[in-house]
């Protein structure tokens, strides 16, 4: 099971294609993977076996609960099974580039079981906003290095 980590600056071409960092491409291999909306206005990319776990969790949500339905719709309506093209590029659907407000420069980060794709501007804002309160967050989750 891959654990993704690291932060990389990449570019998206005018057709919505990007080269994933070679470290992540190597870890994903030739398999299919799923991209969908992520939280905090990013795009989430899951290896196919990890996506199956996500699907199982989503199926267990109660469709009679409006919050559960909303989250299922948020994730599933944007989910796309894909793979690298012949040049090793990833094609990002327009709906996802719009969700993440992606223009040309992006930040690709490893996030344990998934990869996140951010617009450079959104990532910088996120880091700035969370950086100001990271000590409080660490205290709250009681995490010790």
């Amino acid at each position: 099971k891959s654990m993704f980590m690291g932060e990389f600056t990449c570019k998206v071409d005018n057709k919505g294609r990007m080269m994933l960092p070679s470290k992540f491409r190597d870890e994903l291999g030739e398999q299919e993977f799923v991209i969908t909306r992520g939280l905090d206005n990013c795009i989430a990319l899951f290896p196919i076996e990890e996506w199956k776990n996500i699907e199982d969790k989503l199926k267990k949500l109660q469709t009679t609960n409006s919050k559960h339905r909303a989250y299922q719709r948020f994730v599933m309506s944007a989910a796309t099974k894909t793979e690298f093209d012949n040049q090793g590029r990833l094609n990002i659907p327009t709906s996802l580039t719009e969700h993440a407000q992606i223009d040309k420069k992006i930040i690709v980060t490893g996030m344990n079981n998934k990869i996140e794709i951010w617009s450079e501007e959104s990532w910088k804002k996120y880091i700035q906003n969370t950086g100001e309160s990271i000590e409080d967050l660490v205290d709250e989750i009681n995490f010790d290095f």
Side-chain angles (χ1 to χ4, degrees), residues 6 17 19 23 53 57 68 77 79 90 95 110 112 129 145:
R17 299 174 302 197
M19 289 290 288
K23 176 182 177 182
N53 295 333
K57 290 177 184 177
H68 290 206
S77 66
L90 166 62
S95 63
N112 298 322
N129 291 339
F145 277 102

Side-chain angles (χ1 to χ4, degrees), residues 34 46-61 72 75-76 79-81:
V34 173
F46 295 93
I48 200 72
E49 64 275 358
E50 189 61 40
W51 177 252
K52 290 176 184 172
N53 295 333
I54 300 298
E55 280 184 328
D56 289 343
K57 290 177 184 177
L58 289 169
K59 286 177 188 173
K60 291 177 183 168
L61 293 177
Q72 286 174 318
V75 175
M76 294 302 294
T80 304
K81 195 181 284 188

Side-chain angles (χ1 to χ4, degrees), residues 36 41 51 65 70 74 76 92 117 120:
T36 191
N41 289 351
W51 177 252
N65 182 310
F74 175 81
M76 294 302 294
I92 304 172
I117 303 168
E120 183 181 48

